[in-house]
Structure formats: structure tokens, C-alpha cells
Amino acid sequence: NFDLRKGEILGFAGLVGAGRSELMKCIFGLDSYEKGEIYINGNKVHIQTPNDAIDVGIAYVPEDRKAEGLFLIETIKYNISLKILHKFIKNLSVNKKIENAEVQKYIDQLSIRTPSSEQSVNKLSGGNQQKVLIAKWLATGPKVLILDEPTRGVDVGAKAEIYSIMNDLVKEGVSIIMVSSDLPEIIN
């Protein structure tokens, strides 16, 4: 059992294979579970699919951004707007002006270094790819953000930027579950 409060970062540490990532996938509806209950704001929720999790305000940044999180050959805009496309569709067409503004907001907010939102994600550094993945899930407006190994494969500068993003999010009231195999990272 664990509790996560509004505006808090809760760390899960453990070695690879300890079940921490599997637990997060169950919470997000990627894996099924036999027993257990999830409550949000005191209300029991039933999560069987990722869409159920998104509907109750949970977002999940997986540990393997290349295999599970991003469409590397697609653009930054495609990746960020994919989960929120419904916001831009009206009369069977996409309102590009609103979509571009929303995507640019996250590029600016997360300091994603890119010449444009049309840049292919596979042309970005690991740190900027990770920030695109975080932006993709922030665009859904989560109450709870699960970050599984958010600094794996990024340089020291990008790590500091990701920590700064996390601190800004908790100040805004987002609750974060951070999973890491690096105990000092969790303690910090």
C-alpha cells in the first residue's frame, strides 16, 4: 500500500526485475492485476486500459522511450499532439493553428531544443527526446504523472532540466511517482 498526495513526489527504488515498473504498468492499465484498489481523491477507480487511466488523470512516461514511448520517425508535433488530437478536431479537420500553439507551448515550457516542431524526434538528443515524451503526457493534463526512469540515457544537463520540470509540476499541484534504480536519485 502507498499514498500519493497532491503536489508530492513519491519515489520507488529497486533493482531491475523487482516489480516496480510492472506495478506502474498495472496502475496505468497496460498490465492487468488480480487484486488491489486504486483511489483518486478518495474515489475508487477501475482502470483496465490506458484510456481509463488517462480519463481519471493518470499519465505514464515509460522507461524505454524509444520502444514504448515515442514514434521516433515522426515529428515533435505528431508525438506531442497524438494523445490530445481531439482538442484540435472540428468538422472532421484539424485546426492547425490551435495544434501548433499547444505544441509550441510545451516546446517552450520544457526548453526542447529544436529548429521547429516539424523536426523528426530521432534527430534530437536523448535529453530532448525525453522532454518530448514528458510533453506528450503533460498535454493530457494529468493529476498523477508516473515517471519510470525519467533520466535514463540523458546527459547531466538534461537530468537537471528534468528535475526542474518535476519541481515545477509539483508546485502546480501535479503528483509524481518516480521510479528509479538509482537510490541517490530517488533520495534527492
Side-chain angles (χ1 to χ4, degrees):
N1 292 337
F2 65 90
D3 292 320
L4 175 65
R5 306 218 184 314
K6 184 176 181 176
E8 170 179 84
I9 299 175
L10 176 65
F12 274 77
L15 299 174
V16 174
R20 55 202 170 90
S21 294
E22 291 78 3
L23 174 61
M24 299 307 138
K25 287 180 179 181
C26 287
I27 292 170
F28 190 64
L30 286 169
D31 290 343
S32 60
Y33 54 93
E34 292 180 22
K35 60 183 182 175
E37 298 173 337
I38 301 170
Y39 292 84
I40 296 186
N41 294 328
N43 299 313
K44 186 175 178 180
V45 295
H46 299 281
I47 299 173
Q48 295 180 321
T49 68
N51 284 337
D52 294 340
I54 293 166
D55 289 345
V56 297
I58 300 173
Y60 173 68
V61 176
E63 68 179 313
D64 188 346
R65 68 179 169 266
K66 292 181 179 182
E68 298 177 322
L70 294 169
F71 293 96
L72 294 172
I73 61 169
E74 293 293 344
T75 66
I76 294 168
K77 180 166 75 172
Y78 179 91
N79 276 276
I80 292 175
S81 64
L82 182 64
K83 293 288 181 193
I84 57 167
L85 202 54
H86 63 278
K87 291 182 178 181
F88 318 123
I89 296 177
K90 186 175 182 181
N91 299 329
L92 300 176
S93 65
V94 175
N95 184 325
K96 294 288 185 185
K97 184 177 179 181
I98 296 173
E99 180 185 24
N100 289 336
E102 185 78 4
V103 169
Q104 191 61 48
K105 176 178 88 173
Y106 288 103
I107 289 172
D108 294 342
Q109 181 182 340
L110 277 63
S111 301
I112 299 169
R113 289 177 197 84
T114 180
S116 85
S117 65
E118 297 297 333
Q119 176 72 42
S120 176
V121 173
N122 62 1
K123 303 288 187 203
L124 299 174
S125 68
N128 284 302
Q129 287 179 2
Q130 189 70 3
K131 289 190 279 184
V132 169
L133 181 55
I134 292 169
K136 168 185 171 179
W137 289 105
L138 288 182
T140 67
K143 297 174 195 166
V144 176
L145 179 62
I146 301 170
L147 297 169
D148 195 348
E149 298 282 0
T151 62
R152 177 180 285 165
V154 302
D155 64 31
V156 174
K159 279 185 182 188
E161 288 178 327
I162 291 169
Y163 297 149
S164 179
I165 291 165
M166 292 170 64
N167 287 324
D168 291 344
L169 290 170
V170 296
K171 287 176 189 171
E172 294 170 12
V174 176
S175 302
I176 296 176
I177 299 174
M178 180 181 176
V179 176
S180 180
S181 56
D182 183 6
L183 187 57
E185 179 176 59
I186 290 289
I187 291 170
N188 287 332

